[in-house]
Amino acid sequence: MCDGSGLTPSLSSGSGKAIGGASSPSITRRQLLRFIDDFTVIDIREDAERKDDEEKEYIKNIQFIPMGKVLSGAFQRTDDGKQLLKDGAKLCFVCPRGGRAKVTADWFYNSSFNVQPYYLKGGLTEFREQEKGKVVIDDDFLMILTKLEDDPEKVGVGLQLCVAAANKGKTVTLVLMHDATRLATKSYAKDNKLVCPEPLKPW
């Protein structure tokens, strides 16, 4: 699958500054689906990259606008471009694996447009894998609290950590159990073979 090799133009931002400034945030599939009504999703793949069945909407609020077009001043000055890039608009850019989408989101993040650009973490490839039910490990936040009646102070600290993670854009999963206390990110869980009982599948 093509991920934009040879398709990425030389870019400068809308304010005339070269790309290379601050980086735009990513968003996971789960986060995007949770807040989908707030976003316009822009699939920036080229027409030749999309199959007929992929022309159908695979997520709400999606538009198909190739990368070169959405970054062009000619499009941005059209009525469609102005509507898409209106002040305060939340945009999520999508490409096969996330690389091109990040470049595009970074461009708008460092431009003079007053929009909130994101790129889909892992791209469309990971999006479809998760859609099929495949477990994809990311760095969202998992906390497992136990023996709650014995140590209420520990519960308070745990909840504060959950709030802090959520404020940083993480998807937080809080699990209450009875026999042990473990705190881990998903990547830590994968590296250390952290296994939860079958009824508890936080990811």
Side-chain angles (χ1 to χ4, degrees):
M1 181 181 289
C2 174
D3 194 21
S5 177
L7 296 175
T8 304
S10 176
L11 303 178
S12 62
S13 71
S15 59
K17 296 181 292 185
I19 278 292
S23 182
S24 58
S26 65
I27 188 168
T28 66
R29 175 182 182 273
R30 182 165 47 179
Q31 291 167 331
L32 179 59
L33 292 176
R34 179 181 298 176
F35 300 107
I36 189 60
D37 290 334
D38 298 332
F39 279 88
T40 298
V41 181
I42 306 169
D43 187 323
I44 61 169
R45 291 176 297 164
E46 302 298 318
D47 292 341
E49 296 178 80
R50 299 200 307 268
K51 298 178 181 178
D52 291 341
D53 61 342
E54 290 175 341
E55 295 294 335
K56 301 174 183 177
E57 292 188 4
Y58 55 83
I59 193 170
K60 282 177 62 178
N61 304 334
I62 191 167
Q63 297 187 31
F64 294 95
I65 309 174
M67 179 181 182
K69 181 177 179 179
V70 78
L71 292 175
S72 71
F75 170 76
Q76 293 164 5
R77 290 189 293 271
T78 65
D79 289 342
D80 286 344
K82 290 176 182 177
Q83 176 62 26
L84 180 69
L85 302 172
K86 62 186 178 182
D87 284 355
K90 287 187 175 181
L91 308 174
C92 178
F93 295 97
V94 179
C95 71
R97 294 181 178 83
R100 241 185 302 167
K102 184 180 188 309
V103 170
T104 305
D106 285 352
W107 189 93
F108 282 105
Y109 192 84
N110 288 283
S111 76
S112 58
F113 289 103
N114 184 25
V115 296
Q116 301 178 51
Y118 295 75
Y119 64 95
L120 181 63
K121 184 177 180 180
L124 186 57
T125 300
E126 190 167 299
F127 182 94
R128 292 193 186 284
E129 290 295 335
Q130 294 183 52
E131 198 170 41
K132 295 174 185 175
K134 181 177 178 180
V135 174
V136 179
I137 301 297
D138 59 30
D139 287 322
D140 284 347
F141 196 79
L142 164 68
M143 173 165 282
I144 302 175
L145 291 175
T146 62
K147 298 185 178 178
L148 307 182
E149 66 283 356
D150 297 336
D151 199 343
E153 183 177 348
K154 186 182 296 180
V155 175
V157 172
L159 294 176
Q160 289 175 17
L161 289 171
C162 289
V163 170
N167 287 339
K168 290 185 178 181
K170 301 294 184 183
T171 297
V172 176
T173 302
L174 177 62
V175 180
L176 305 180
M177 296 176 63
H178 289 293
D179 42 34
T181 302
R182 293 175 290 186
L183 168 65
T185 62
K186 291 185 179 181
S187 55
Y188 174 92
K190 179 184 179 184
D191 293 341
N192 293 276
K193 295 183 172 60
L194 180 61
V195 178
C196 292
E198 188 61 31
L200 299 171
K201 287 294 185 183
W203 57 77

